[in-house]
Amino acid sequence: MAWTKILAANALAPGAREVVKVGNKNILVLNHENNLYAVENNCPHLKLPLKSGKIKDGAIVCSFHRSAFDLSTGEVKTWCPWPPGVGKLLSMVSEAKTLPVFPVRVEDGNILVDVPE
Ligand code: FES
């Protein structure tokens, strides 16, 4: 494991989120109900940013075509349901892909993530 210090723990209050660069990856770190999560910020569908996505039932929902991914596992909950009709076509063009998720922890007042190179 290669833990990287990314933020001070007090910089991420409940409900807050930040995008940090680790190596060549953009990592979205968020505090949801006092649990920390770290996921790739680029949606697996069209690589658009997930940062503004809503959290619903433990999943982050992409703002663009509303694919939803489990925050803990990255598992696809829904794939491109939006907009109605067109979303179905978009989902057929690209196969559903899991969202990369990364271990995250707090140590000595800092948030650390483990992002493989
Ligand atoms: S870019 Fe996220 S669902 Fe299309």
Side-chain angles (χ1 to χ4, degrees), residues 6-7 9 23 26 84-85 92-93 101 103-104 111 115:
I6 52 166
L7 291 168
N26 293 314
M92 288 163 33
V93 174
V101 298
V104 58
I111 299 172
V115 178

Side-chain angles (χ1 to χ4, degrees), residues 43-48 50 62-67 69 79-80 90:
C43 177
H45 178 225
L46 295 180
K47 302 295 181 195
L48 297 172
L50 282 170
C62 178
S63 303
F64 296 94
H65 310 109
R66 300 190 187 168
S67 292
F69 307 92
W79 186 248
C80 300
L90 287 172

Side-chain angles (χ1 to χ4, degrees), residues 27-77:
I27 308 298
L28 171 61
V29 187
L30 56 91
N31 180 339
H32 178 62
E33 298 177 348
N34 270 322
N35 293 307
L36 293 174
Y37 300 92
V39 303
E40 195 158 303
N41 188 45
N42 303 89
C43 177
H45 178 225
L46 295 180
K47 302 295 181 195
L48 297 172
L50 282 170
K51 184 178 181 188
S52 61
K54 291 184 177 153
I55 308 293
K56 185 177 176 198
D57 299 330
I60 187 161
V61 182
C62 178
S63 303
F64 296 94
H65 310 109
R66 300 190 187 168
S67 292
F69 307 92
D70 186 280
L71 276 172
S72 297
T73 65
E75 175 192 355
V76 178
K77 297 293 193 184

